[in-house]
Amino acid sequence: MLTTAWLSSGIEITYLVAASLFIVGLKRLSSPATARQGNQIAAAGMFVAIVATLLNQSVLNYQMLLVGIVIGSLVGAIAAQKVAMTAMPQMVGIFNGLGGAASALIAVGEFWRVLSTTGTAPIDATLVTILGVFIGGVTFTGSLMAFAKLQGIMTGSPITFPFQQPFNIFILVSFLVGSGYLLVHPEQTFVFLGLVAISLLLGVLFVLPIGGADTPVVISLLNSYSGLAASAAGFILMNNMLIIAGALVGASGLILTQIMCKAMNRSLANVLFSAFGSDGGTAIAAGGDQGDRVVRSVEPEEGAMMLGYARSVVIVPGYGMAVAQAQHSVRELADQLDRLGVTVKYAIHPVAGRMPGHMNVLLAEANVPYDQLCDMDDINPEFERTDVALVIGANDVVNPAARENTSSPIYGMPILDVDRAHNTIVIKRGMSAGFAGIENDLFFKEHTMMMFGSAKDVVAKLVAEVKQLS
Amino acid sequence: MAAGLLTGLVVFVLASFVGFEVINKVPPTLHTPLMSGANAISGIAVVGALLIAGTQDLNLTVILGLIAVVLATINVVGGFLVTDRMLQMFKKKGA
């Protein structure tokens, strides 16, 4: 009896240690010098928490649990080893979904246990179960949708259908009505299963109308949800450590979501419900005067000369660089320019790519030191003194219309002021509009030169040409 | 039970504030590792899964719990390892 008491206090204290390790780990994750250590500290916290749980006296089914842990560890370890850095957004997306699914399963399983042992469930247990099923279910299917969009299994453009909003509201209201009913009659399993199904459906509906370039917001938001789902599981099992760890992740995801929204000058509601850029591809004339405007295109030879004889070059990467997997060629170009005494910096827009920090990860993979990567606010004042701004596969984030054209849909969005550099070279596959579906005034500016082609090919040609300069 | 719910709510709100304070000033370079590291922490659901899958008899709860154990473990192990793999690549100039 005494040992039991000791054991359960010991487990509680170990949980407290684990929670503290998570907090310290997250704290360290926010500085480049300590980040790796922070991640390891958090992992240690997780290990401690799992071991303590296995010591719990109600846990008896060791063989099966270990089989589950081994399978999960193998799959996770292999996935983490194999995934290409360019596929990182999908990977984070699917991991979010797994966490959400686990939490939803806990909610369903525990509710089932309570029902089958007592025949009914207290109102507060039902309430937290509904929350767990809802958040976990939405996180699960929402993440699968985000994965499918990023992986190219389905179109990355927003998908809309007639009466979408009324339909969504109808579904949401049915969920609320069903929840109300279940609170009074928890033994109605069909209502419960209906709620599970609706949660899964809502996750799909929620990501459906969101387009490619808005994915950084969605991924961060789903990240936050996966934490909240774990918290909900904590409420269901009355386990404080789950609540704490989930709340930490929920907060971190929410902060990232906020940063992403701010970087696009749009509210979260606007990102989620406006199906922004659904006209994508059919360029809307921003001013209606582009008919007689001309673009200047240059050959790699001339481009290489401009770059090689510049004093300072700022490289602006975008999603196009990720798609073409051009990060290694870009680094090679920077090395060659460095050899010629050119100062090279990288300007990173917060929403460039498909997840927060996407460009930073890719460039890190190509061995670009992180102190060469500049944030928008730091680099913008420098463009006036920059000889050449080299835009590689970025579009909307360098569109001066965001600054100048009040009627543009992206007006007010903070952009990288590449048009203020003495010269701007834009590497792009064609003249198609960016994600927002609008013309980019930058391409028609006097000091802008276009180099058409896949980012990887064009940069490789530039590298070859620059190599010949001495 | 309602008292437990309230305690849980207190813990949740305070932990959220701690989260906001701790993570608030993360530089953009670390956005992805922070996200995937945090994501691995959300795999803490594995603890809950172990608890409900731990009983000796085989019923629906245990089966769902076991599936949850597998999914959450993938999340935990994959999440921490991939974050480590990423962070290994982040180097300062000259390092």
Side-chain angles (χ1 to χ4, degrees), chain A residues 16-270:
Chain A
L16 189 60
V17 171
S20 313
L21 289 174
F22 290 150
I23 294 172
V24 175
L26 280 172
K27 174 88 200 161
R28 304 235 156 168
L29 259 175
S30 49
S31 155
T34 55
R36 198 170 171 207
Q37 192 195 19
N39 183 53
Q40 287 160 354
I41 291 176
M46 186 64 73
F47 182 75
V48 166
I50 291 174
V51 171
T53 308
L54 289 174
L55 294 177
N56 189 309
Q57 299 218 309
S58 69
V59 175
L60 303 162
N61 191 5
Y62 283 109
Q63 300 93 327
M64 292 300 281
L65 293 182
L66 285 179
V67 170
I69 290 179
V70 168
I71 294 176
S73 305
L74 280 178
V75 175
I78 293 171
Q81 254 334 295
K82 296 263 165 178
V83 64
M85 283 300 147
T86 36
M88 205 47 91
Q90 292 93 301
M91 180 81 165
V92 173
I94 199 93
F95 279 169
N96 281 333
L98 293 179
S103 302
L105 287 172
I106 293 170
V108 176
E110 177 65 10
F111 192 63
W112 195 268
R113 191 189 63 79
V114 173
L115 274 190
S116 56
T117 44
T118 63
T120 182
I123 192 162
D124 49 357
T126 313
L127 183 68
V128 289
T129 302
I130 293 172
L131 268 179
V133 165
F134 178 73
I135 305 173
V138 168
T139 311
F140 177 50
T141 49
S143 300
L144 288 187
M145 289 291 292
F147 173 80
K149 286 193 168 200
L150 288 165
Q151 186 74 25
I153 298 171
M154 58 183 290
T155 169
S157 325
I159 295 171
T160 51
F161 52 86
F163 303 110
Q164 193 160 15
Q165 294 303 356
F167 180 71
N168 291 350
I169 291 171
F170 169 74
I171 296 283
L172 199 62
V173 168
S174 358
F175 185 86
L176 292 176
V177 171
S179 306
Y181 186 80
L182 193 75
L183 285 175
V184 189
H185 303 283
E187 68 288 347
Q188 297 288 335
T189 25
F190 278 105
V191 178
F192 180 63
L193 291 178
L195 291 181
V196 174
I198 293 180
S199 308
L200 296 174
L201 179 63
L202 275 171
V204 174
L205 292 172
F206 146 67
V207 180
L208 219 46
I210 295 171
D214 285 344
T215 4
V217 179
V218 179
I219 296 261
S220 333
L221 194 64
L222 287 169
N223 189 221
S224 176
Y225 286 177
S226 74
L228 295 180
S231 264
F235 276 103
I236 292 167
L237 300 170
M238 289 293 156
N239 184 315
N240 281 338
M241 191 199 40
L242 255 70
I243 297 178
I244 295 174
L248 293 173
V249 180
S252 123
L254 210 54
I255 290 176
L256 283 178
T257 311
Q258 254 174 1
I259 296 175
M260 295 301 117
C261 285
K262 219 176 123 201
M264 297 197 296
N265 189 39
R266 290 163 57 200
S267 69
L268 182 58
N270 181 281

Side-chain angles (χ1 to χ4, degrees), chain B:
Chain B
M1 193 84 167
L5 210 58
L6 272 182
T7 318
L9 200 60
V10 170
V11 171
F12 176 78
V13 171
L14 292 181
S16 301
F17 276 106
V18 171
F20 279 118
E21 285 305 314
V22 165
I23 300 153
N24 215 351
K25 295 228 159 48
V26 60
T29 298
L30 289 171
H31 280 169
T32 300
L34 173 76
M35 194 168 59
S36 73
N39 174 242
I41 294 179
S42 79
I44 190 67
V46 70
V47 165
L50 290 172
L51 288 173
I52 69 161
T55 52
Q56 200 62 279
D57 31 74
L58 198 67
N59 52 37
L60 185 67
T61 303
V62 172
I63 294 170
L64 294 178
L66 282 173
I67 300 174
V69 167
V70 175
L71 299 183
T73 314
I74 297 177
N75 188 187
V76 166
V77 174
F80 281 124
L81 284 181
V82 90
T83 309
D84 191 64
R85 205 181 127 201
M86 259 188 277
L87 289 170
Q88 234 177 323
M89 303 183 316
F90 282 83
K91 289 186 195 89
K92 244 186 141 104
K93 199 170 185 175

